Amino acid sequence: MARNRIFNILIPIISVLLGLIAGAIIMLISGHNPIEGYRALWNGAFGDAFTLGETARRTTPLILTGLAVAFAFRTGLFNIGAEGQVIVGWLAAVWVGLAIDAPMYIHLPLAIAAAALAGAIWGFVPGILKAKLGVHEVIVTIMMNYIALFITNEIIRNVLTDHTTTTEAIAPTASLASEWLQGITYFSRLHYGFLIALFAAAVMWFLIQRTTIGYELKAVGFNQHASKYAGMNVSKNIILSMAIAGAFAGLAGAMEGLGTYGTISVMSGFTNLGFDGIAVALLGANTAFGVVLAAILFGVLKEGAGEMPTGAGVPTELVDIIIALIIFFVASSYIIRWALIRFKKEGK
Amino acid sequence: MRGLEYVIEMLDIRKEFPGIVANDNITIQLKKGEIHALLGENGAGKSTLMNVLFGLYQPEKGEIRVNGEKVNITNPNIANELGIGMVHQHFMLVEPFTVTQNIILGKEPKTKTGKINIKKAEKEIQELSDRYGLKVDPTAKISDISVGMQQRVEILKTLYRGAEVLIFDEPTAVLTPQEIHELIGIMRSLIKEGKSIILITHKLKEIMEVCDRCTVIRKGKGIGTVEVAETNVSELASLMVGREISFKTDKAEAQPQEVVLNISDLHVKDTRKVDIVKGLNLDVRAGEIVGIAGVDGNGQSELIEAITGLRKSESGHIKLKNKDITNKKPRKVTESGIGHIPQDRHKYGLVLDYSIGDNMVLQTYYQKPYSKQTVLNQKAISKKAKELIAEYDVRTPSEHTMARALSGGNQQKAIIGREVDRSPDLLIAAQPTRGLDVGAIEFIHRRLIEERDKGKAVLLVSFELDEIMDVSDRIAVMFDGKIVANVKPETTNEQELGLLMAGSQAEKAGGAHGEK
Ligand SMILES: Nc1ncnc2c1ncn2[C@@H]1O[C@H](COP(=O)(O)OP(=O)(O)OP(=O)(O)O)[C@@H](O)[C@H]1O
Ligand SMILES: [Mg+2]
């Protein structure tokens, strides 16, 4: 038990280090200086108040999509649909932000709730199909991603705008933007959503670990027969789990729509926030705290990558490769685990 | 000299788990051509010791010799190469595969072009099966064959890999009496062909019947090895538990009161949508234990599932204390006063990946004091779990241990503790003592009788006629989806029960109705 806990912390750390080392080797082979490359990455992420703010801003939706995947996974479900849930959440938030005229204390919560609800509905559909008809949620969530993307684009073109590609800015009463946070980060786009994401992580932890709801959800994920025997409603719990997961991802959409951009634009492809959420959840071992740390790492890598071409002449694609390598090492944690056990034995 | 006499020697084996020493310097020596019993209480460390021999666990200390030579078994493949095969307590078969596919898995015979030569394998398996009287159809699918047959597939798997030494971990716990009889025959023919066997079982009668020698372990320590011919059941029992065990359960005459469970004209379909409970009538009264005797597959499981709300009833009525509970949800059924010790503890009884503490509140987690306004009260859960662990002698390092890490018998004790502790008006106990040691069986039987004496109704389903005869106040014989006879244990015997269970006399005994 104790050993497992230590391993759960050690393995992601070792994976990250291995990923960085492998990235350095690739930089060397492709004729770049890895030290300069990583220095540029560091500066790009932590160089000054502005980049720090942008790093935190980038981390915000990743925390939420990470939670969306992790939450479902803890209850035995694979939510590959965080991507679509983000998109509908974003749309719903901006829509409410544009369409309603109300004081901030009503307007902002309403827009955020709309995003969560839209995401929840996008999770509910695969949930109910799984619970009632036994259709695997992976297939349905993937399809829901496409449905979200195309419907959203249609609504932006034909409903929210007059055949243009970007909506107007939302009313200031629905905005998460914070003069104070912008002020201390030299006018980065950091917004109050960062606090919402941290709060959401706390909510997930509490829900999973401390409530009867989490107790039921996990039980159903582990053993449906025993859950039924214990009097739990298996279908209800599967649906609930997917809806809650969807709500987390929907909130990630609100972060973009109400915080970072204040608008929504026709998308030529996925935002990737949802897909990155899968990696964040995996790296964070599907725990709330782990997800926050992993999302920060991803935020740092992605934000810092922007500096690598100008600072060290390293293409940004390389950062994607490093991220992919880190995921690879986490996914093959079995090998690391095995090596650790060997190492411990020989150390004795 | 020693080296020639023994095929397997495990000397001073020590194996630790976090917080527990499962094997504390145990020695066991297996002679060629013998059936050697390994006996010990639940959690004594039998499965662990055999898993060490099979290469699943590495011992901290000790030496293993095969045919006198020291070996280092670091994984099951090495065990296979050394001619050691194991039939596990819980089968390890791929359900959608055929018998042949399962047996050759990992050791597939190839044709010249590199394809799997299924025909050749089938022929080989048929030959093996005939040679040892295993009666296995190589082309059948695992999901379609009985538990007994699945077990024979496991045996074939080891033989196909050239096993000379076979380890059986509680093979008879999941079998019906008829299947046990067949298994014993199989073991005898294996010995005749020169194999050697280590048999783990809690049934002392089986040891007396087929084993040559018996090694006893108690709480992880080796107590010694005895010649079976020179001992008897009660000596074995006291060796293993460390005290005298009474096999006859003493109990006072039952004082049946009002009817608690009333079932009338119940019809239930099985998973394949075929009628399996066909117009069943049964009453169970407060203050009595009714035992359901019957051959497996006559509708017992479906009956229980129907009562507890796990399976739909097609027609008829189930009443608990005069309230209709037919087709009510399991939660409603539990709340109206039914406790259920399920037949399949891994499937229904436990969430194996939950701690033993969390498992203790599986039906009550949403009630006070275990939670308030949906917030769990970990302290209250731990407290209850600690109480039950102590009271029911569940051997576990703590209440935080995963249920999966407990030995089979201790998992069972945890379930029984949880169900009996709620003191339900009707306690349904399906195979409650499956996989338990004699000491634990005695204890569980006493608890059932205590519940009865408190004025609760108990419905016991068991394939063990001994248990039915011992514990029940009334025996309801189930055949072909109906109760075909009600008899008193004092006025019947195993022969008569056997006949009734086989359906003969069904018409004559006729009293399909409970005592209305
Ligand atoms: N994987 C494991 N991790 C931790 N503890 C374990 C593990 N496997 C077994 N144990 C502990 O080791 C002890 C011996 O267990 P084992 O399964 O060998 O008992 P057993 O003699 O086979 O009992 P039973 O008759 O109930 O099957 C038990 O206390 C059990 O809780
Ligand atoms: Mg065992």
Side-chain angles (χ1 to χ4, degrees):
Chain A
M1 289 282 291
R3 178 157 97 180
N4 258 334
R5 187 159 296 169
I6 293 169
F7 278 16
N8 280 343
I9 298 166
L10 264 184
I11 286 169
I13 292 175
I14 293 175
S15 308
V16 169
L17 289 178
L18 286 175
L20 291 175
I21 292 169
I25 293 172
I26 293 174
M27 275 192 255
L28 269 178
I29 293 172
S30 60
H32 302 286
N33 182 340
I35 297 176
E36 266 177 31
Y38 283 135
R39 184 179 295 146
L41 182 94
W42 180 268
N43 286 336
F46 302 110
D48 51 34
F50 174 80
T51 50
L52 251 165
E54 279 293 304
T55 302
R57 194 246 343 140
R58 218 182 251 274
T59 300
T60 303
L62 290 175
I63 293 177
L64 288 162
T65 52
L67 294 177
V69 178
F71 188 86
F73 192 83
R74 288 290 287 278
T75 65
L77 297 164
F78 291 101
N79 181 17
I80 312 298
E83 183 64 40
Q85 293 148 11
V86 169
I87 295 174
V88 295
W90 189 337
L91 174 73
V94 171
W95 200 336
V96 171
L98 288 170
I100 291 178
D101 206 7
M104 188 169 210
Y105 64 89
I106 296 176
H107 201 178
L108 181 57
L110 204 64
I112 293 173
L117 182 69
I121 292 171
W122 235 248
F124 171 84
V125 174
I128 198 164
L129 286 175
K130 163 116 185 174
K132 300 292 176 195
L133 300 174
V135 189
H136 203 285
E137 72 276 11
V138 167
I139 295 165
V140 182
T141 48
I142 289 174
M143 294 198 298
M144 293 295 284
N145 287 341
Y146 286 96
I147 298 173
L149 179 65
F150 294 121
I151 288 186
T152 300
N153 281 347
E154 273 312 294
I155 292 179
I156 296 170
R157 277 200 200 93
N158 297 318
V159 183
L160 294 182
T161 70
D162 195 8
H163 303 286
T164 59
T165 54
T166 301
T167 63
E168 286 168 29
I170 53 167
T173 46
S175 173
L176 279 168
S178 150
E179 271 177 30
W180 167 64
L181 285 174
Q182 285 175 351
I184 58 170
T185 59
Y186 204 74
F187 299 104
S188 76
R189 288 172 293 173
L190 183 62
H191 51 83
Y192 284 127
F194 189 65
L195 303 176
I196 294 180
L198 291 180
F199 180 69
V203 168
M204 153 152 171
W205 173 83
F206 187 75
L207 209 57
I208 286 275
Q209 300 290 359
R210 289 281 179 266
T211 68
T212 55
I213 302 166
Y215 180 93
E216 280 195 22
L217 290 170
K218 281 186 294 177
V220 169
F222 284 135
N223 183 345
Q224 294 197 2
H225 295 287
S227 307
K228 198 174 162 204
Y229 158 88
M232 299 170 193
N233 184 336
V234 172
S235 299
K236 186 194 96 182
N237 277 294
I238 290 174
I239 298 168
L240 184 65
S241 170
M242 284 304 287
I244 293 176
F248 280 127
L251 283 178
M255 300 300 109
E256 303 296 88
L258 307 177
T260 306
Y261 299 102
T263 59
I264 186 166
S265 304
V266 169
M267 301 169 206
S268 55
F270 288 122
T271 66
N272 277 335
L273 288 171
F275 295 129
D276 287 342
I278 299 172
V280 167
L282 180 68
L283 187 61
N286 295 302
T287 65
F289 188 60
V291 162
V292 171
L293 292 184
I296 291 174
L297 176 75
F298 272 58
V300 168
L301 288 176
K302 298 216 154 191
E303 189 58 38
E307 185 66 22
M308 287 178 79
T310 45
V314 179
T316 43
E317 283 79 6
L318 202 88
V319 177
D320 288 330
I321 294 178
I322 294 173
I323 291 179
L325 284 169
I326 291 174
I327 309 287
F328 171 81
F329 286 116
V330 180
S332 48
S333 65
Y334 174 77
I335 302 171
I336 299 174
R337 192 174 288 262
W338 175 82
L340 280 176
I341 291 172
R342 270 297 281 271
F343 189 70
K344 249 184 99 177
K345 272 219 171 126
E346 269 161 29
K348 255 188 196 172
Chain B
M1 188 54 217
R2 247 168 89 189
L4 294 177
E5 196 183 355
Y6 298 114
V7 264
I8 300 281
E9 291 172 276
M10 299 182 78
L11 307 171
D12 289 328
I13 300 291
R14 184 182 178 84
K15 174 71 201 160
E16 296 169 16
F17 289 117
I20 211 156
V21 183
N23 290 163
D24 190 356
N25 301 344
I26 299 182
T27 292
I28 179 170
Q29 293 169 308
L30 178 68
K31 286 184 190 162
K32 189 166 171 55
E34 76 168 341
I35 304 184
H36 194 122
L38 183 54
L39 180 66
E41 287 179 287
N42 295 124
K46 305 177 295 294
S47 297
T48 304
L49 185 66
M50 288 303 109
N51 285 334
V52 167
L53 179 57
F54 194 54
L56 287 168
Y57 294 146
Q58 304 310 307
E60 264 76 39
K61 228 189 82 199
E63 190 174 316
I64 301 176
R65 294 189 195 158
V66 176
N67 296 321
E69 259 174 62
K70 186 171 181 235
V71 292
N72 194 6
I73 308 178
T74 46
N75 66 56
N77 288 335
I78 297 183
N80 279 331
E81 278 163 27
L82 291 169
I84 301 169
M86 181 155 178
V87 177
H88 292 271
Q89 199 164 353
H90 303 104
F91 300 156
M92 307 193 168
L93 296 170
V94 188
E95 293 253 323
F97 276 19
T98 66
V99 169
T100 304
Q101 285 171 325
N102 266 285
I103 291 174
I104 62 177
L105 200 64
K107 204 172 181 285
E108 301 86 353
K110 302 269 168 67
T111 62
K112 281 196 200 91
T113 54
K115 274 205 303 200
I116 296 179
N117 194 343
I118 242 359
K119 282 277 162 304
K120 176 163 169 252
E122 275 171 7
K123 218 177 116 228
E124 254 176 75
I125 288 162
Q126 191 68 60
E127 276 167 18
L128 270 178
S129 165
D130 293 344
R131 186 153 130 219
Y132 296 99
L134 289 168
K135 289 187 272 175
V136 166
D137 172 8
T139 57
K141 256 203 195 138
I142 297 297
S143 47
D144 296 339
I145 63 179
S146 70
V147 173
M149 176 101 78
Q150 292 183 6
Q151 186 172 67
R152 298 204 291 274
V153 174
E154 289 279 13
I155 298 173
L156 270 174
K157 224 159 90 182
T158 66
L159 294 175
Y160 182 78
R161 284 162 174 67
E164 288 300 318
V165 174
L166 285 89
I167 306 164
F168 287 90
D169 192 351
E170 290 190 47
T172 57
V174 292
L175 299 184
T176 62
Q178 173 60 28
E179 288 170 328
I180 292 175
H181 186 73
E182 283 171 20
L183 178 66
I184 286 175
I186 292 166
M187 289 199 283
R188 289 214 166 102
S189 68
L190 286 167
I191 294 299
K192 229 182 270 150
E193 295 279 336
K195 314 278 181 199
S196 317
I197 294 176
I198 298 178
L199 171 67
I200 300 179
T201 180
H202 289 296
K203 298 180 188 165
L204 302 173
K205 273 194 200 161
E206 287 166 8
I207 296 182
M208 298 307 296
E209 191 179 341
V210 290
C211 295
D212 302 300
R213 295 193 305 149
C214 174
T215 294
V216 183
I217 58 182
R218 194 194 301 158
K219 297 192 175 153
K221 290 200 172 63
I223 297 296
T225 303
V226 293
E227 293 285 336
V228 170
E230 290 163 17
T231 186
N232 56 48
V233 167
S234 46
E235 194 194 357
L236 283 179
S238 52
L239 266 179
M240 109 185 209
V241 187
R243 65 181 166 92
E244 294 292 319
I245 292 280
S246 86
F247 286 92
K248 204 71 194 146
T249 328
D250 333 299
K251 53 174 188 184
E253 184 76 14
Q255 310 283 333
Q257 313 278 320
E258 77 285 358
V259 173
V260 172
L261 175 73
N262 163 252
I263 302 178
S264 55
D265 197 25
L266 184 72
H267 289 261
V268 183
K269 284 189 171 33
D270 68 7
T271 317
R272 292 164 304 161
K273 302 269 175 268
V274 178
D275 285 325
I276 183 121
V277 176
K278 307 167 179 171
L280 178 136
N281 296 291
L282 177 71
D283 282 350
V284 184
R285 292 169 178 274
E288 74 169 342
I289 300 178
V290 173
I292 293 194
V295 178
D296 191 16
N298 276 285
Q300 297 95 320
S301 313
E302 288 79 4
L303 169 65
I304 294 175
E305 286 170 11
I307 301 174
T308 51
L310 291 167
R311 184 180 288 276
K312 199 174 143 253
S313 308
E314 300 295 324
S315 65
H317 286 286
I318 305 170
K319 284 187 190 155
L320 187 74
K321 292 184 294 175
N322 275 323
K323 274 210 322 243
D324 196 334
I325 56 161
T326 325
N327 286 328
K328 287 272 184 299
K329 294 255 161 58
R331 165 92 18 114
K332 274 269 158 327
V333 172
T334 309
E335 283 177 348
S336 62
I338 290 184
H340 175 199
I341 299 162
Q343 179 172 341
D344 189 335
R345 58 175 167 248
H346 282 181
K347 192 168 172 192
Y348 289 106
L350 294 168
V351 177
L352 288 173
D353 297 297
Y354 267 3
S355 70
I356 205 69
D358 282 345
N359 269 295
M360 288 300 196
V361 294
L362 204 55
Q363 294 102 329
T364 47
Y365 63 91
Y366 60 94
Q367 295 166 355
K368 279 185 189 168
Y370 310 118
S371 66
K372 244 187 238 163
Q373 266 108 36
T374 79
V375 179
L376 291 170
N377 181 347
Q378 304 286 357
K379 270 213 191 96
I381 294 174
S382 281
K383 182 161 164 273
K384 176 94 259 171
K386 278 201 184 112
E387 259 170 56
L388 290 176
I389 287 169
E391 196 180 336
Y392 288 84
D393 188 28
V394 180
R395 306 221 174 132
T396 169
S398 86
E399 73 275 18
H400 303 298
T401 307
M402 290 289 135
R404 191 181 289 289
L406 262 60
S407 81
N410 282 301
Q411 292 172 344
Q412 184 70 4
K413 287 193 268 181
I415 297 173
I416 294 174
R418 179 183 74 206
E419 297 306 310
V420 174
D421 183 65
R422 290 205 310 280
S423 202
D425 295 316
L426 172 68
L427 178 64
I428 301 175
Q431 320 287 356
T433 55
R434 186 179 261 187
L436 292 190
D437 64 58
V438 284
I441 291 176
E442 181 195 22
F443 174 75
I444 297 307
H445 286 170
R446 256 194 288 122
R447 293 313 297 245
L448 293 182
I449 292 164
E450 265 172 48
E451 284 303 299
R452 177 200 79 171
D453 292 342
K454 273 197 242 162
K456 310 291 177 178
V458 179
L459 182 63
L460 169 73
V461 180
S462 176
F463 298 137
E464 304 270 337
L465 282 186
D466 285 349
E467 176 163 56
I468 292 275
M469 298 275 277
D470 246 30
V471 182
S472 320
D473 300 313
R474 177 157 63 84
I475 302 174
V477 181
M478 188 158 178
F479 174 74
D480 193 26
K482 288 199 262 305
I483 301 298
V484 292
N486 279 286
V487 292
K488 290 262 174 204
E490 308 86 65
T491 60
T492 187
N493 54 43
E494 296 209 0
Q495 276 74 18
E496 191 198 14
L497 273 183
L499 282 172
L500 287 169
M501 282 160 54
S504 75
Q505 275 193 17
E507 292 314 309
K508 207 166 77 200
H513 293 266
E515 34 202 73
K516 276 211 168 163

